[in-house]
Amino acid sequence: MAVNLNPAAAEALAAVAGVDLWVAEAGIKKPGRKDLLVIRLDKGNTVAGVFTQNRFCAAPVQISKAHLEAGVQIRALVVNTGNANAGTGEAGRANALAVCRTLAEELGCAPEQVLPFSTGVILEPLPVDRITAALPGRRPASWLEAAEAIMTTDTAPKAGSRQLALQGQAVTITGIAKGAGMIHPNMATMLGFIATDAAVTRPVLNQLVREVADLSFNSITVDGDTSTNDSFMLISTGKSGAPLIDSPRHPDYAVLKAALVDLAIELAQAIVRDGEGATKFITVQVDGGRSVAECKDIAYAIARSPLVKTAFFASDPNLGRLLAAIGYAGVSDLDVDRLELYLDDVLVACNGGRNPAYREEDGQRVMQQPEIRVRVVLNRGAASATVWTCDFSYEYVRINADYRS
Amino acid sequence: MAVNLNPAAAEALAAVAGVDLWVAEAGIKKPGRKDLLVIRLDKGNTVAGVFTQNRFCAAPVQISKAHLEAGVQIRALVVNTGNANAGTGEAGRANALAVCRTLAEELGCAPEQVLPFSTGVILEPLPVDRITAALPGRRPASWLEAAEAIMTTDTAPKAGSRQLALQGQAVTITGIAKGAGMIHPNMATMLGFIATDAAVTRPVLNQLVREVADLSFNSITVDGDTSTNDSFMLISTGKSGAPLIDSPRHPDYAVLKAALVDLAIELAQAIVRDGEGATKFITVQVDGGRSVAECKDIAYAIARSPLVKTAFFASDPNLGRLLAAIGYAGVSDLDVDRLELYLDDVLVACNGGRNPAYREEDGQRVMQQPEIRVRVVLNRGAASATVWTCDFSYEYVRINADYRS
């Protein structure tokens, strides 16, 4: 049911110097499938991440945050699919640490130098013995295989690369992501890992990962549910030979950020395109607001509304549901008589009601497209925000009613 | 698909002295069905209401609020179904006023003494000529017929009565409600009208209507969408002969409030039981919080989550989704290791993870029931809140994808 989702192609994915990838089959949920990924990093790297805001954040999230905060040199990331190790209390933390310890022994580093990640069913104990038993049997893998190894309900692997030059030096960015449901910002059951051979100091990388996330992974929603496990990690290996970016005012910062945002948006949109049961890909753009925050509130109110999303599924230009969502977005001083609502290039509402020139067949034509842009112009400021989402279909209900069976 | 919804029975509905009901067929959406209700009030009444917080509030909501604020004696309420007169701008307000004017001429009062209400499709012009043409042909109706006349996607009329004594004087309360989708507090596409022959001053009735709404209509959700038209009106005719309640400290205040809350909860629950596509009725109770607000935030996070609601539809005790919803409810200092989660009497989670004594078959047994109580004990205070909701089924998608066709 994915919408214009182009599966990642192996030949389009460039290796990143300083990063080795391995996969293994641990039989966590299903026997014989790749469900374990190791991202090994050469020394001299920097790593930064953003994590779920969910209070029930999973054990691996707690451990990864602690290891990052310890300030040690990170040497590996280890990701399992099939089990989220979330809602597992003290035993869950011990299990996540046991995975770090086993991999650290294999690699000859300290457990604190390993970051663990998990995705899958929550509230089930992590089958830690199967994971630690499978780690020695890991084999070298491509980025495409890495993307495959972290899939859950995804219908296709999600990966991409960018090439750029920083002061004449060739730089590579390659990333992978997973996620198809429970998608909402801050963040979703999504994992994203982007590595570059550019050189960035840790404090600058900390700022960069937040700025990139806000414009990509924190601007999507499938069902409004925020997961316990979301993590987006940015890795800088420094192997390209490009100058060290040691400040957000460094001339290369904006160039690198633009390329990272471009790739992160592609990966974030791929998650929405693969949204559980999705038949439409919807861009919600809110312009002319007083602040980015109010634009994002309105965009998310539209993007989260089950009534709006079922209308998109039905290709029904039920524009009133769009107006209702704008109205309850929580912008308390919004003057609804001043805003304009567009479906692609069709002006459907203005002056507090339907555009007199609007014809149902124009709305119908846009609604039948697989890709639709909803645009709201608030006419009260210069701020904008864009959010990506998908429609709500029978298939969404089927997938989520059957997920564990 | 309604869950244990008992259709209102005519013989259980008591007349309220000082209230006359009329219905008519205006052919607003479908020919031949009752789609117009007039509630005529004797002089000496007081009326108070709460309305949607949606910024795109419908034209009749704007007019009703203005007429109530004018402080004049209200003589009638007029309700149409089939068209919400929302997102209709200046023309919508003129149309709502035209309906008031026509009815006022029929009744010999001023247009400001009439309150208009509408429910149905939004962003379509109100067929005002059909409504004004039908008003003279109105005929006396029972409370049951009144409940039928305001239905939209409801599968059954919703109405109830209570009898009580205030200082030895018999008092009657009878009310009707409609709504089956776009249900979320503050408020939903729900209309509720409750009349009593008790005597209550206008300021006290203003307070009473808010307190009753918070414990009933503002504690339900079907899909989290807040409509443009929600209104809950409380009418006091004063015809019972019971003493005038002129203060919240009056001894009869609490007695009358308890009976009103009891009826309003029955009507609010009937809306959830009739929730679009509902197969399960779910009570979410949060205890031991520091404030009612944080309890309600957590209850609503659970009750709104599409992942939780599809799991209920599947009778799947996917408890992790419940914990995830608690975690993202926005209570930022919540210590998840201290809370307890119950499905009916089954303790499923504590100490930050699954209860070691929990067995899947116990959760499964509860999940298969048509009525389920989710109880969260926060163990950090004495506040509580309860919210009612339903599950999320294929049928919900079908109803909302097909609504206009």
Side-chain angles (χ1 to χ4, degrees):
Chain A
M1 304 277 282
V3 186
N4 296 342
L5 175 65
N6 300 316
E11 59 276 16
L13 300 174
V16 178
V19 177
D20 291 320
L21 302 169
W22 291 309
V23 296
E25 288 84 14
I28 294 169
K29 201 175 163 213
K30 290 177 190 160
R33 75 153 283 196
K34 290 189 293 282
D35 52 12
L36 211 50
L37 166 67
V38 175
I39 304 176
R40 199 200 60 79
L41 307 179
D42 285 353
K43 286 183 188 169
N45 69 75
T46 52
V47 178
V50 287
F51 297 92
T52 179
Q53 302 292 307
N54 196 307
R55 294 294 301 167
F56 257 104
C57 73
V61 170
Q62 298 175 44
I63 302 296
S64 282
K65 283 167 117 171
H67 288 185
L68 274 179
E69 280 162 18
V72 295
Q73 170 73 87
I74 301 301
R75 296 305 309 281
L77 294 76
V78 54
V79 192
N80 75 270
T81 185
N83 184 301
N85 192 10
T88 47
E90 194 49 48
R93 287 185 285 273
N95 283 341
L97 271 175
V99 173
C100 295
R101 198 175 308 114
T102 301
L103 184 59
E105 281 168 15
E106 297 262 328
L107 301 179
C109 65
E112 293 74 30
Q113 295 179 285
V114 177
L115 304 180
F117 302 88
S118 298
T119 181
V121 178
I122 45 187
L123 216 69
E124 301 279 346
L126 187 73
V128 62
D129 294 344
R130 277 180 259 166
I131 294 172
T132 53
L135 277 173
R138 68 193 181 276
R139 63 180 188 280
S142 66
W143 278 99
L144 182 60
E145 290 172 298
E148 289 166 350
I150 61 173
M151 289 164 62
T152 52
T153 54
D154 307 63
T155 67
K158 299 167 179 71
S161 280
R162 295 292 183 275
Q163 303 282 353
L164 67 156
L166 295 179
Q167 302 187 32
Q169 192 70 49
V171 164
T172 295
I173 304 171
T174 297
I176 58 175
K178 63 92 22 186
M182 218 191 212
I183 299 299
H184 197 63
N186 301 314
M187 303 175 62
T189 296
M190 63 134 288
L191 298 176
F193 303 95
I194 296 183
T196 176
D197 52 11
V200 186
T201 64
R202 176 71 188 277
V204 175
L205 201 67
N206 279 338
Q207 177 173 336
L208 196 52
V209 73
R210 281 172 200 289
E211 293 183 4
V212 171
D214 278 346
L215 293 168
S216 57
F217 297 111
N218 279 341
S219 292
I220 60 176
T221 186
V222 168
D223 48 24
D225 274 84
T226 302
S227 132
T228 51
N229 290 57
D230 308 325
S231 310
F232 167 46
M233 308 301 299
L234 196 49
I235 297 161
S236 148
T237 68
K239 299 290 186 189
S240 65
L244 179 68
I245 301 175
D246 56 0
S247 159
R249 289 175 300 282
H250 188 290
D252 291 347
Y253 182 90
V255 182
L256 180 63
K257 179 182 161 183
L260 286 168
V261 167
D262 194 56
L263 175 57
I265 286 179
E266 178 186 315
L267 294 174
Q269 290 188 350
I271 289 173
V272 173
R273 291 180 186 285
D274 203 12
E276 289 170 348
T279 74
K280 304 267 171 74
F281 178 82
I282 299 151
T283 300
V284 184
Q285 178 181 339
V286 179
D287 294 329
R290 285 198 192 137
S291 67
V292 172
E294 75 175 28
C295 293
K296 216 159 179 175
D297 284 347
I298 289 173
Y300 265 122
I302 293 171
R304 284 185 68 161
S305 160
L307 283 172
V308 168
K309 290 157 83 83
T310 46
F312 277 112
F313 171 56
S315 301
D316 176 6
N318 194 324
L319 307 166
R321 294 183 183 174
L322 287 162
L323 295 182
I326 295 167
Y328 69 66
V331 181
S332 59
D333 62 349
L334 186 68
D335 181 354
V336 296
D337 286 351
R338 290 186 60 189
L339 63 81
E340 293 150 34
L341 174 65
Y342 294 84
L343 282 179
D344 278 10
D345 57 336
V346 179
L347 175 62
V348 297
C350 53
N351 299 321
R354 188 160 56 185
N355 169 21
Y358 170 73
R359 296 175 313 156
E360 178 92 359
E361 54 263 42
D362 294 331
Q364 191 73 56
R365 172 177 54 77
V366 176
M367 291 297 272
Q368 273 159 356
Q369 300 166 183
E371 310 229 354
I372 299 165
R373 177 176 299 264
V374 176
R375 184 162 166 254
V376 182
V377 184
L378 300 178
N379 288 314
R380 58 192 240 140
S384 290
T386 299
V387 159
W388 298 279
T389 191
C390 56
D391 61 336
F392 222 156
S393 69
Y394 297 112
E395 193 64 9
Y396 175 85
V397 178
R398 193 194 61 74
I399 290 170
N400 283 294
D402 292 352
Y403 180 47
R404 299 205 322 169
S405 51
Chain B
M1 302 279 283
V3 187
N4 295 342
L5 175 65
N6 300 314
E11 60 276 15
L13 299 174
V16 178
V19 177
D20 291 320
L21 303 169
W22 291 309
V23 296
E25 288 84 15
I28 295 170
K29 202 177 162 212
K30 289 176 189 160
R33 75 153 281 196
K34 289 190 292 284
D35 52 12
L36 211 50
L37 167 67
V38 175
I39 304 174
R40 200 202 58 82
L41 307 179
D42 284 354
K43 285 183 187 169
N45 69 75
T46 52
V47 178
V50 287
F51 297 93
T52 179
Q53 301 293 307
N54 196 310
R55 293 294 302 166
F56 256 103
C57 73
V61 170
Q62 298 174 44
I63 303 296
S64 281
K65 282 167 115 171
H67 288 186
L68 274 179
E69 281 161 18
V72 296
Q73 170 75 87
I74 301 302
R75 296 305 309 280
L77 295 74
V78 54
V79 193
N80 74 270
T81 185
N83 184 302
N85 193 9
T88 46
E90 194 50 50
R93 288 185 285 274
N95 283 341
L97 271 175
V99 173
C100 295
R101 197 175 307 113
T102 302
L103 185 58
E105 281 167 17
E106 298 265 327
L107 301 180
C109 66
E112 293 72 34
Q113 295 179 284
V114 178
L115 306 179
F117 303 87
S118 299
T119 180
V121 178
I122 45 187
L123 216 69
E124 301 278 347
L126 187 75
V128 62
D129 293 343
R130 276 180 260 165
I131 293 172
T132 53
L135 276 172
R138 68 192 181 277
R139 62 180 190 279
S142 65
W143 278 98
L144 183 61
E145 289 173 299
E148 289 166 350
I150 61 172
M151 289 165 61
T152 52
T153 56
D154 307 63
T155 67
K158 298 167 181 71
S161 279
R162 294 291 183 276
Q163 304 280 354
L164 67 157
L166 295 179
Q167 303 189 32
Q169 192 68 49
V171 164
T172 295
I173 304 171
T174 297
I176 59 175
K178 64 91 23 184
M182 218 191 210
I183 299 299
H184 196 65
N186 302 312
M187 300 174 63
T189 297
M190 63 133 290
L191 298 177
F193 303 94
I194 296 183
T196 176
D197 52 9
V200 187
T201 64
R202 176 71 189 278
V204 175
L205 201 68
N206 279 338
Q207 177 173 336
L208 196 53
V209 73
R210 280 171 201 290
E211 292 182 4
V212 172
D214 278 346
L215 293 169
S216 56
F217 298 111
N218 278 341
S219 292
I220 59 175
T221 186
V222 168
D223 49 23
D225 274 84
T226 303
S227 132
T228 51
N229 290 58
D230 308 325
S231 310
F232 167 45
M233 308 301 298
L234 196 50
I235 298 160
S236 149
T237 68
K239 299 290 184 190
S240 66
L244 180 68
I245 301 175
D246 55 1
S247 157
R249 288 174 300 282
H250 189 288
D252 291 346
Y253 183 89
V255 181
L256 180 63
K257 178 181 161 184
L260 286 167
V261 167
D262 194 55
L263 175 58
I265 286 179
E266 177 186 316
L267 294 174
Q269 290 188 351
I271 290 173
V272 173
R273 291 181 186 284
D274 204 11
E276 289 170 347
T279 73
K280 304 265 170 74
F281 178 82
I282 299 151
T283 300
V284 184
Q285 179 182 339
V286 179
D287 294 329
R290 286 199 190 135
S291 66
V292 172
E294 74 175 29
C295 293
K296 216 159 179 175
D297 284 348
I298 289 173
Y300 266 122
I302 293 170
R304 284 185 67 160
S305 160
L307 282 172
V308 167
K309 291 158 81 85
T310 46
F312 277 113
F313 171 55
S315 301
D316 176 7
N318 193 325
L319 307 165
R321 293 181 183 174
L322 287 163
L323 295 182
I326 294 167
Y328 69 65
V331 181
S332 58
D333 62 351
L334 187 68
D335 181 354
V336 296
D337 287 350
R338 289 186 59 191
L339 63 81
E340 293 149 35
L341 174 65
Y342 294 83
L343 282 180
D344 278 8
D345 56 337
V346 179
L347 175 62
V348 297
C350 53
N351 299 321
R354 187 159 58 185
N355 170 20
Y358 170 73
R359 296 175 314 156
E360 178 91 358
E361 55 264 41
D362 294 332
Q364 192 73 54
R365 173 178 53 76
V366 176
M367 290 298 271
Q368 273 160 357
Q369 300 166 184
E371 310 229 352
I372 298 165
R373 177 177 299 263
V374 176
R375 183 162 167 255
V376 182
V377 184
L378 299 178
N379 286 314
R380 56 191 241 139
S384 290
T386 299
V387 159
W388 298 279
T389 191
C390 56
D391 60 336
F392 221 156
S393 69
Y394 297 112
E395 193 65 9
Y396 175 85
V397 178
R398 193 195 61 73
I399 291 170
N400 282 294
D402 292 352
Y403 179 45
R404 298 205 321 170
S405 53

